């Protein structure tokens, strides 16, 4: 079985047409949609029942919304059937519902606009299932600058930044502005492998899941401020 065929996905959206469309797109590429859900409660139940690799989660659904469903799913330590953690991709419209930022903070691995192309949808599922973060550059900048605000110290999701070395703080600051590993290496006159090591150490020390959470933390602790030059851009996985 190919890597794509092995992927298991749950699609949660209150619009049947969206669900069926995504199912057809994913199935055409050998990705198995193991369940559909029209609301948050159904999504949580489907995840518990099927243990998928990826969940495509709409935010605005009747009853339990996608934000709370994301929180509940990410709070469940049970892995997918293949032993990897379940990843969640948030589905949103272009107006960027403020819940999207909260969902990323709750542990979602990224988000997609609902007008995504079939190729982008398939690529996103594969990317996130491999542990990567999925944030489009221009949309991420708008999202962070509109909704990120410094959080009280007790709410900071990754703890105390004082555990980082000066170099790691510098890497985190640039990472939060959207730099890729290659761009970080060029800016800091380091090798890409050294940058990867720094990023991995940052995530480990701060107990963060991925670069998405690192960006959230950098903004909430005011290490980086919305509207500053070089705002947030594309993100890639820690190993990329």
């Amino acid at each position: 079985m190919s890597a794509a065929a092995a992927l298991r996905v749950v699609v949660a959206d209150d619009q049947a047409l969206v669900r069926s469309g995504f199912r057809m797109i994913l199935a055409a590429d050998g990705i198995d949609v193991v369940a559909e859900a029209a609301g948050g409660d159904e999504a949580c139940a489907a995840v518990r029942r099927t243990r998928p690799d990826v969940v495509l989660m709409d935010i605005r659904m009747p009853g339990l919304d996608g934000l709370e469903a994301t929180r509940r799913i990410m709070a469940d330590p049970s892995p997918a059937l293949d032993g990897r953690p379940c990843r969640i991709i948030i589905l949103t419209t272009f107006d960027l519902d403020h819940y999207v930022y909260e969902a990323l903070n709750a542990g979602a691995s990224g988000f997609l606009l609902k007008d995504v192309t079939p190729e982008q949808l398939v690529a996103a599922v594969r990317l996130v299932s491999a542990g990567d973060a999925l944030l489009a550059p221009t949309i991420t900048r708008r999202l962070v600058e509109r909704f990120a605000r410094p959080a009280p110290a007790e709410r900071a999701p990754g703890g105390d930044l004082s555990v980082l070395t000066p170099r790691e703080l510098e890497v985190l600051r640039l990472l939060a502005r959207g730099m890729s590993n290659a761009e970080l290496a060029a800016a800091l006159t380091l090798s890409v492998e050294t940058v990867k090591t720094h990023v991995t150490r940052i995530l480990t020390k701060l107990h963060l899941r991925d670069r998405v959470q690192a960006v959230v933390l950098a903004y909430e602790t005011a290490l980086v401020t919305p509207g500053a030059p070089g705002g947030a851009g594309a993100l890639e996985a820690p190993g990329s």
Side-chain angles (χ1 to χ4, degrees), residues 111-177:
F111 65 93
L112 287 174
L113 299 179
K114 283 194 174 182
D115 62 357
V116 63
T117 67
E119 294 78 13
Q120 289 170 334
L121 178 64
V122 169
V125 169
R126 290 179 175 174
L127 184 74
V128 168
S129 70
D132 293 6
L134 178 72
L135 294 178
T138 57
I139 306 304
T140 302
R141 185 178 301 112
R142 286 181 55 201
L143 175 71
V144 171
E145 293 187 356
R146 274 184 65 181
F147 304 123
R149 296 291 183 272
E154 65 271 15
R155 289 183 54 217
D160 189 356
L161 294 185
S162 67
V163 300
L164 302 182
T165 66
R167 174 62 90 181
E168 289 165 350
L169 276 173
E170 188 175 15
V171 170
L172 177 57
R173 186 178 291 108
L174 295 177
L175 183 156
R177 297 198 185 285

Side-chain angles (χ1 to χ4, degrees), residues 125-223:
V125 169
R126 290 179 175 174
L127 184 74
V128 168
S129 70
D132 293 6
L134 178 72
L135 294 178
T138 57
I139 306 304
T140 302
R141 185 178 301 112
R142 286 181 55 201
L143 175 71
V144 171
E145 293 187 356
R146 274 184 65 181
F147 304 123
R149 296 291 183 272
E154 65 271 15
R155 289 183 54 217
D160 189 356
L161 294 185
S162 67
V163 300
L164 302 182
T165 66
R167 174 62 90 181
E168 289 165 350
L169 276 173
E170 188 175 15
V171 170
L172 177 57
R173 186 178 291 108
L174 295 177
L175 183 156
R177 297 198 185 285
M179 287 191 176
S180 67
N181 283 340
E183 291 169 335
L184 283 167
L188 300 174
T189 319
L190 299 172
S191 70
V192 171
E193 289 305 316
T194 298
V195 167
K196 290 180 181 179
T197 299
H198 282 310
V199 172
T200 299
R201 287 176 179 169
I202 289 167
L203 299 182
T204 300
K205 286 183 177 182
L206 297 177
H207 308 290
L208 301 174
R209 182 178 297 105
D210 53 31
R211 292 169 79 120
V212 173
Q213 290 194 331
V215 170
V216 170
L217 179 61
Y219 276 85
E220 290 197 335
T221 57
L223 180 67

Side-chain angles (χ1 to χ4, degrees), residues 92-115:
T92 184
T93 53
F94 193 73
D95 62 359
L96 288 178
D97 192 307
H98 69 279
Y99 288 131
V100 175
Y101 180 81
E102 296 182 47
L104 294 178
N105 204 6
S109 293
F111 65 93
L112 287 174
L113 299 179
K114 283 194 174 182
D115 62 357

